[in-house]
Amino acid sequence: MANKVYNFSAGPSVLPEQALKEASAACIDYANSGISILSMSHRSKPIENMFAETEQFLRDLMGIPENYDIVFLGGGCSLLFCMVPMNLLGQNETADYTDTGVWASKALKEAKLFGNVNVACSTKADVYNHIDKNLKLSDNAKYLHITANNTIYGTEWHNFPKPKSGFLVADMSSDFLARKVNVSDFGMIYGGAQKNISCAGVTVSIIRKDLLGKVDRTIPTMLNFQTHIDGKNMFNTPPVFAVYTMNRTLKWLKDMGGVEAIEKINREKAALLYSAIDASKVFVGTAAKEDRSLMNVPFVFKKDVVSDEKNDEMSKDFIEFAKARGLVQIKGHRSVGGFRASIYNAMPIEGVQALVDCMGDYEKKILG
């Protein structure tokens, strides 16, 4: 490419160049077979080996114990939002759910179809600009559900809450492998891959073995996690290409030094961008400082600099100003407005520095 482009999209999002090149080559010839990975049987040995390797990469990078199963599925988290309570929550049982953003709210809504739901906290009235950590937990909850990172609003659980009873379940879609977590602290971790570890089309579920088979309902075959565990992720045709893209992304991360190394880089990137926002005379962050996300950074114009009447016009101007410098996909979500920079694992620190420089130059442009 003649001009470098930095993609700050919240998802589908930036992936390592190395992984993209390897995935691209596999579309023509996978594993020197002369066959595209897109037209290779999922029952073939090369694909079976690739799935096994991908699972092992995950186990190594996250330290996943042997008493946890790993399931790769299509359908996105929107499907998992119902599969989780369908498989884990009995009709007369209660689950605690934290309402910290749009996706947390959607998960909560689906859970109500299968059992009793206690809303342990909600910051909806404050446009989800912080995380309420004073949870009102049930005495007998089957599990506590959290959304680890809230992509739209730029908030993140920096210290995971502990359930009063039962086990912890976390949707980690947008901070998978961005920081070290102790998998044993969770009964289940799940998420869509298109934010941080692959392209769209595959989800990852990490489930403690002793938790399944405990509900009294009949679960449709395809919606039963045990179906896919027993079938070694090959019960039906799986999203092979998305899993291979994950495989190459995990290999890249392993070569980088693993999660500990990437977390250090992620914290440096976030500190760089948040420092620029806090020092700016034009921009201001929207998330509470103590809950700021390492992955998604929303910010807006200061009201005393840009009036509400001028906001739309100026926002478009800054987006075009940034685009001219190769900084794309920074428009904020409509519920927050302004701008959002998603700085996932594959976003280099050079990209964040380029955005910081751009913000500084724009400030000079409008303030003189």
Side-chain angles (χ1 to χ4, degrees):
M1 294 173 61
N3 298 306
K4 182 65 178 177
V5 172
Y6 292 110
N7 174 19
F8 291 93
S9 172
S13 41
V14 62
L15 288 170
E17 186 175 348
Q18 173 185 322
L20 293 175
K21 287 179 177 178
E22 291 170 342
S24 176
C27 289
I28 304 300
D29 181 0
Y30 180 62
N32 296 316
S33 65
I35 302 174
S36 166
I37 194 171
L38 301 177
S39 55
M40 184 174 284
S41 169
H42 60 293
R43 306 290 183 190
S44 64
K45 199 65 178 175
I47 300 302
E48 289 181 352
N49 289 342
M50 184 270 288
F51 268 69
E53 182 182 59
T54 306
E55 178 176 330
Q56 194 58 54
F57 279 150
L58 271 173
R59 288 191 182 277
D60 292 344
L61 287 165
M62 295 184 71
I64 301 173
E66 288 301 317
N67 64 322
Y68 286 75
D69 288 309
I70 298 175
V71 178
F72 302 117
L73 289 174
C77 266
S78 293
L79 179 61
L80 292 179
F81 289 159
C82 78
M83 284 184 68
V84 169
M86 185 184 292
N87 282 262
L88 299 180
L89 183 64
Q91 184 175 349
N92 296 314
E93 293 179 320
T94 298
D96 291 329
Y97 272 71
T98 56
D99 181 19
T100 55
V102 164
W103 302 110
S105 179
K106 288 179 183 291
L108 188 159
K109 177 184 176 183
E110 295 299 305
K112 288 181 177 179
L113 300 174
F114 301 98
N116 302 314
V117 172
N118 169 57
V119 181
C121 73
S122 178
T123 51
K124 184 176 182 179
D126 297 313
V127 198
Y128 297 119
N129 64 5
H130 70 288
I131 291 176
D132 183 358
K133 292 166 279 290
N134 296 312
L135 304 185
K136 296 176 175 63
L137 299 175
S138 306
D139 291 329
N140 60 343
K142 186 73 175 290
Y143 61 83
L144 167 62
H145 182 282
I146 66 169
T147 302
N149 183 75
N150 299 285
T151 319
I152 294 173
Y153 304 96
T155 61
E156 187 171 29
W157 287 95
H158 294 295
N159 296 297
F160 297 116
K162 293 183 178 180
K164 194 172 184 179
S165 61
F167 50 90
L168 185 60
V169 175
D171 170 4
M172 289 191 182
S173 293
S174 51
D175 61 354
F176 244 127
L177 292 164
R179 53 178 171 158
K180 292 190 71 173
V181 300
N182 182 7
V183 175
S184 295
D185 289 341
F186 301 83
M188 180 174 180
I189 294 170
Y190 71 96
Q194 71 274 12
K195 306 286 190 181
N196 216 21
I197 57 174
S198 185
C199 59
V202 64
T203 62
V204 180
S205 297
I206 303 165
I207 313 166
R208 206 173 72 207
K209 290 179 182 288
D210 64 310
L211 299 181
L212 298 177
K214 303 292 179 65
V215 297
D216 54 4
R217 68 175 55 87
T218 299
I219 303 173
T221 303
M222 274 297 293
L223 300 181
N224 193 328
F225 284 117
Q226 197 64 52
T227 297
H228 304 284
I229 293 167
D230 293 342
K232 300 185 185 303
N233 286 305
M234 296 291 174
F235 175 77
N236 67 319
T237 306
V240 172
F241 184 70
V243 173
Y244 181 65
T245 304
M246 184 193 305
N247 179 290
R248 295 295 83 194
T249 303
L250 298 181
K251 175 63 164 58
W252 167 82
L253 181 54
K254 188 175 182 180
D255 292 344
M256 286 272 293
V259 179
E260 187 173 341
I262 203 67
E263 179 176 357
K264 182 176 183 293
I265 296 170
N266 286 337
R267 293 193 181 281
E268 289 173 357
K269 291 187 299 187
L272 175 62
L273 184 50
Y274 284 124
S275 293
I277 291 171
D278 290 342
S280 176
K281 297 176 182 177
V282 171
F283 301 104
V284 63
T286 60
K289 289 186 178 182
E290 67 270 19
D291 298 324
R292 282 172 164 177
S293 168
L294 291 177
M295 298 282 96
N296 310 99
V297 183
F299 55 101
V300 296
F301 286 124
K302 290 184 174 180
K303 289 185 178 294
D304 60 344
V305 176
V306 176
S307 66
D308 290 341
E309 292 77 15
K310 287 282 190 179
N311 193 278
D312 286 348
E313 177 188 341
M314 293 292 289
S315 293
K316 291 176 182 177
D317 185 60
F318 176 64
I319 289 170
E320 289 302 312
F321 186 83
K323 186 177 180 180
R325 293 168 172 239
L327 310 174
V328 300
Q329 301 292 324
I330 63 167
K331 184 178 180 179
H333 190 272
R334 61 185 176 276
S335 61
V336 179
F339 319 101
R340 175 177 53 176
S342 295
I343 51 177
Y344 297 118
N345 285 359
M347 172 59 68
I349 197 163
E350 292 81 7
V352 178
Q353 184 62 59
L355 178 57
V356 167
D357 293 342
C358 175
M359 293 164 65
D361 289 344
Y362 193 77
E363 182 173 312
K364 293 174 185 176
K365 173 189 172 182
I366 65 173
L367 295 182

